[in-house]
């Protein structure tokens, strides 16, 4: 039997199962009552790993959750078509397909052949675990003009090799590799 997790012990990035659905905790807040006999409540901001919906829910401190039957496997991104995005399981060499809802904005950060972590719930693929940062080449950007800082904004728009558009500093040129934060989709430095 899977281990049980008390609601009061759920912290950021904890994975748990509630009502036969896997969730990831994004934030937790514990409310201790001031009156005698009051119950300690745990307010969790959680993401449904099947639908990617994010919401807040309050639980009693003693509520218990099961650990989800989640498995992380290494997979390489192959291609995308009308059926979805296809990945090759590096262990079994089986092709796994994820639909647009399962991927969210992950395709903005993926190149063909790139190896990432794919999540499986009860043996079925449900989504991707992207690294914190990815390195992508700048496909197009306007050249930075000296003295272009009068507006106070010292960034310009750049289109990356995946099609993602981000704001980059003026000194970044076409063909350069940049580091992008996958959580926010923002420039994080030169690669």
């Amino acid at each position: 039997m899977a281990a049980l997790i008390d609601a009061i012990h759920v912290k950021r990035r904890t994975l748990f199962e509630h009502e036969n659905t896997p969730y990831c905790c994004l934030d937790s807040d514990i409310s201790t009552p001031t009156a005698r006999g009051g119950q300690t409540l745990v307010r969790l901001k959680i993401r449904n790993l099947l639908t990617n919906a994010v919401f807040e829910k309050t639980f009693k401190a003693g509520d218990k959750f099961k650990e989800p039957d989640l498995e992380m496997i290494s997979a390489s991104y192959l291609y995308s078509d009308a059926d979805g995005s296809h990945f090759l399981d590096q262990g079994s060499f089986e092709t796994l397909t994820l639909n647009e809802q399962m991927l969210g904005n992950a395709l903005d950060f993926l190149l063909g052949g790139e190896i990432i972590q794919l999540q499986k719930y009860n043996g079925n693929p449900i989504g991707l675990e992207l690294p914190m940062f990815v390195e992508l080449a700048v496909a197009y950007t306007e050249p930075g003009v000296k003295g272009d800082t009068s507006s106070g904004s010292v960034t310009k728009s750049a289109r990356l090799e995946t099609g993602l558009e981000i704001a980059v500093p003026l000194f970044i040129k076409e063909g350069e590799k940049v580091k992008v934060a996958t959580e926010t989709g923002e420039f994080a430095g030169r690669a």
Side-chain angles (χ1 to χ4, degrees), residues 41-59:
L41 299 175
V42 181
R43 182 182 197 90
L44 300 177
K45 183 174 182 181
I46 54 180
R47 169 175 283 130
N48 181 323
L49 295 178
L50 299 178
T51 64
N52 281 326
V54 175
F55 55 93
E56 290 190 6
K57 192 161 171 87
T58 303
F59 298 96

Side-chain angles (χ1 to χ4, degrees), residues 35-109:
R36 280 194 181 136
Q39 287 190 336
T40 300
L41 299 175
V42 181
R43 182 182 197 90
L44 300 177
K45 183 174 182 181
I46 54 180
R47 169 175 283 130
N48 181 323
L49 295 178
L50 299 178
T51 64
N52 281 326
V54 175
F55 55 93
E56 290 190 6
K57 192 161 171 87
T58 303
F59 298 96
K60 295 176 188 166
D63 287 350
K64 297 193 182 303
F65 306 113
K66 286 192 326 189
E67 284 187 6
D69 180 18
L70 277 176
E71 177 186 6
M72 297 297 262
I73 60 166
S74 289
S76 62
Y77 174 56
L78 298 173
Y79 63 94
S80 295
D81 61 16
D83 297 330
S85 295
H86 305 278
F87 296 84
L88 180 67
D89 182 330
Q90 296 297 296
S92 69
F93 299 107
E94 169 188 8
T95 301
L96 304 168
T97 304
L98 298 178
N99 64 35
E100 203 174 302
Q101 181 185 358
M102 294 172 177
L103 288 172
N105 67 345
L107 288 180
D108 289 341
F109 307 104

Side-chain angles (χ1 to χ4, degrees), residues 143-164:
V145 179
K146 204 171 198 176
D148 221 5
T149 59
S150 60
S151 65
S153 170
V154 289
T155 62
K156 60 183 178 179
S157 181
R159 187 173 60 248
L160 305 179
E161 59 190 315
T162 59
L164 176 66

Side-chain angles (χ1 to χ4, degrees), residues 163-174:
L164 176 66
E165 294 219 4
I166 64 169
V168 297
L170 292 175
F171 58 82
I172 299 293
K173 300 178 187 76
E174 276 184 37

